Amino acid sequence: MRIAMIGTGYVGLVSGACFSEFGVHVTCVDKDAGKIERLKRGEIPIYEPGLDDLVARNVAAGRLSFTMDLREAMQGVDAVFIAVGTPSRRGDGHADLSYVYGAAEEIAQHLDHYTVVVTKSTVPVGTGREVEAIIRRVRPDAEFDVASNPEFLREGSAIGDFMRPDRVVIGATSDRAGDVMRRLYRPLYLIETPIVITSLETAELTKYAANTFLAAKITFINEIADLCEKVGANVHDVARGIGLDGRIGRKFLHPGPGYGGSCFPKDTLALVRTAQQVGSPLRIIETVVDINDKRKKQMAERIIAACGGTVDGKIVAVLGVAFKPNTDDMRDSPSLDIVPALQAAGATVRAFDPAAMHEAEKLLPGVEWSKDVYGTLEGADCVAILTEWNEFRALDLRRVKTMLKRPVMVDLRNIYNPEDMAKAGFTYSSIGRPTPAANPDGRPTTPSGDTDRG
């Protein structure tokens, strides 16, 4: 089979490379000449573990190529995928569909045989029908169908998610289109992946419903964590206790500074606006959006409190600025709220991130960037962990303690055990867990109750 993939951003590049690994001939198309040239040289514009090897292997095998010429890319294809950006529109929060609709017009100009036009981008309900209407208006004689095939890729583990997905959702307007999409995903039948065939509208809404539910689950456990701090409970034990219930599940019950990234903030807001527009408001998701926005701003207050109530004239060492580990994505990262707030309070922020500093430099002016973890800590008054990169999980605590002016750590990802940190002599603050008082020469003064976290 042959497909064209319009857009070489996160979704388009990962999906295109993975389809080529299935044996499909994939041509990725982008209007950015510089990006296409870099991809032809084997330079990957995003950070995703394993993607560079996957791209190189399939380019060498002749199954994956890159071009700016959509007409060339569409020759003989079974399907053309639209995988362009749908950012939040300025002013109202609706998804900006201008790139999707622009791609639809260009596709229409080059249709010369039956082709399935697939929206891979995350789009509001009704977008597929509008794509169909655009193509019909431009080319009334064209033979095509429109399908929706939302992606469910997690940054940092996207290749595994594509190759071994929980499910594949396909919204098709005809049996013929459904058959083409089933053939594309035939390799997944070997591992018995559920293939869910629905209407266009159902597939489009399924993507938003999934992401907003997960965002709500994160927000729920964050609020429970705040309650735990007030009543002396341990949020990890609460999460385990409810997560073992099969109706709830254990995933996405880890507290932190709030969700970020390219999907949850944008998709929750877009679904809220769509629901309001059609007169069926989603009060739960409206609240989730509001709570999450406020939570990220509140995290700086935790760090300031740990520093004795002021950071004026102090150095705060920040470990991690990407919204999650194993990505360089800074979109809606909590660090974009936390770091400026610390600076506004008079702090000097010194930071390190294994992958995101090249992007963060543009977004966080005034930060002192370090080359490694320990270079960040020298002479700092406090260290704050904002992203749970693996290399932050096993720091040499004795070394950390000697490098800091005061042994103060604010762990917004709960990657350390409070009891261990107290024994090591740290004034340690985390999310939703009792904190023993630091006692470097003996035992902590209160038990943490957290026996299964390291």
Side-chain angles (χ1 to χ4, degrees):
M1 299 187 74
R2 306 185 73 90
I3 65 171
M5 185 72 65
I6 302 177
T8 58
Y10 192 88
V11 173
L13 185 56
V14 172
S15 299
C18 288
F19 271 127
S20 67
E21 184 76 358
F22 284 168
V24 178
H25 287 264
V26 180
T27 305
C28 292
V29 186
D30 203 292
K31 290 185 175 182
D32 187 331
K35 183 183 287 188
I36 291 297
E37 287 305 313
R38 291 194 297 273
L39 285 167
K40 287 181 176 180
R41 293 195 300 266
E43 300 173 11
I44 307 301
I46 59 175
Y47 181 88
E48 178 63 33
L51 184 58
D52 49 354
D53 291 338
L54 187 68
V55 169
R57 181 166 65 249
N58 284 284
V59 167
R63 292 188 297 265
L64 180 62
S65 61
F66 305 96
T67 183
M68 294 180 64
D69 189 338
L70 181 57
R71 180 189 296 275
E72 172 192 331
M74 286 181 59
Q75 290 180 4
V77 297
D78 298 280
V80 54
F81 284 74
I82 299 174
V84 297
T86 55
S88 293
R89 198 164 62 192
R90 289 176 180 264
D92 61 10
H94 282 284
D96 182 352
L97 300 175
S98 57
Y99 300 112
V100 173
Y101 294 154
E105 290 194 15
E106 291 190 47
I107 289 169
Q109 296 167 10
H110 304 307
L111 284 171
D112 59 5
H113 63 282
Y114 175 77
T115 307
V116 181
V117 180
V118 187
T119 53
K120 194 70 172 170
S121 304
T122 299
V123 295
V125 177
T127 302
R129 298 294 177 186
E130 182 60 26
V131 166
E132 182 178 23
I134 290 170
I135 297 174
R136 290 284 180 211
R137 183 172 66 249
V138 176
R139 286 287 306 282
D141 60 324
E143 189 180 9
F144 73 99
D145 280 309
V146 172
S148 172
N149 179 213
E151 53 83 20
F152 298 97
L153 308 179
R154 296 169 298 166
E155 293 187 40
S157 55
I159 293 171
D161 288 345
F162 194 100
M163 297 295 189
R164 296 174 295 278
D166 295 325
R167 78 292 201 197
V168 173
V169 176
I170 297 167
T173 53
S174 72
D175 290 341
R176 188 178 184 185
D179 289 342
V180 170
M181 296 302 293
R182 285 191 185 92
R183 286 169 54 208
L184 275 173
Y185 283 104
R186 188 181 304 278
L188 296 181
Y189 282 92
L190 297 174
I191 56 174
E192 299 182 344
T193 300
I195 308 291
V196 182
I197 306 293
T198 73
S199 68
L200 279 179
E201 291 80 5
T202 301
E204 290 167 342
L205 185 55
T206 297
K207 167 64 176 180
Y208 278 105
N211 276 0
T212 54
F213 183 85
L214 294 176
K217 198 171 181 182
I218 292 169
T219 303
F220 171 80
I221 202 62
N222 282 340
E223 293 238 282
I224 293 295
D226 291 347
L227 179 59
C228 284
E229 292 175 5
K230 298 293 186 182
V231 301
N234 187 314
V235 68
H236 286 172
D237 292 338
V238 172
R240 187 181 183 197
I242 65 175
L244 290 171
D245 186 326
R247 298 167 299 176
I248 297 173
R250 301 179 66 175
K251 295 182 179 180
F252 287 83
L253 287 179
H254 193 79
Y259 60 77
S262 62
C263 295
F264 288 179
K266 173 176 69 72
D267 293 352
T268 49
L269 190 57
L271 187 59
V272 163
R273 296 293 181 256
T274 296
Q276 291 171 342
Q277 193 172 47
V278 299
S280 184
L282 298 174
R283 303 299 188 197
I284 291 176
I285 307 306
E286 290 175 8
T287 302
V288 165
V289 172
D290 180 60
I291 292 171
N292 193 68
D293 287 344
K294 291 177 180 176
R295 182 172 190 81
K296 289 188 285 188
K297 294 177 174 62
Q298 292 165 352
M299 293 299 105
E301 298 172 10
R302 287 176 175 257
I303 297 171
I304 293 171
C307 290
T310 180
V311 291
D312 190 20
K314 296 180 179 180
I315 299 173
V316 177
V318 168
L319 300 184
V321 291
F323 89 95
K324 65 180 289 188
N326 296 321
T327 181
D328 59 356
D329 198 339
M330 287 292 297
R331 285 174 286 186
D332 280 293
S333 173
S335 66
L336 298 178
D337 287 300
I338 296 169
V339 170
L342 293 173
Q343 292 172 320
T348 296
V349 176
R350 189 187 300 143
F352 170 74
D353 189 285
M357 290 193 295
H358 66 287
E359 183 65 24
E361 288 174 345
K362 310 169 193 173
L363 303 171
L364 294 171
V367 172
E368 297 179 3
W369 298 100
S370 297
K371 295 181 179 180
D372 57 43
V373 172
Y374 294 103
T376 312
L377 304 176
E378 186 66 50
D381 296 272
C382 168
V383 56
I385 300 175
L386 272 56
T387 312
E388 65 274 35
W389 285 91
N390 281 339
E391 65 183 271
F392 302 158
R393 293 177 178 272
L395 297 175
D396 182 339
L397 295 180
R398 290 184 179 178
R399 184 178 178 187
V400 172
K401 188 177 177 182
T402 61
M403 299 183 79
L404 294 171
K405 287 182 183 176
R406 294 175 58 241
V408 178
M409 177 182 287
V410 181
D411 182 359
L412 299 183
R413 299 293 182 172
N414 289 7
I415 63 177
Y416 285 95
N417 187 301
E419 190 173 39
D420 293 340
M421 296 303 292
K423 287 180 179 178
F426 279 81
T427 300
Y428 176 77
S429 173
S430 60
I431 305 291
R433 300 184 293 178
T435 301
N439 185 2
D441 299 320
R443 293 177 297 278
T445 57
T446 57
S448 73
D450 186 19
T451 58
D452 62 342
R453 298 277 173 170

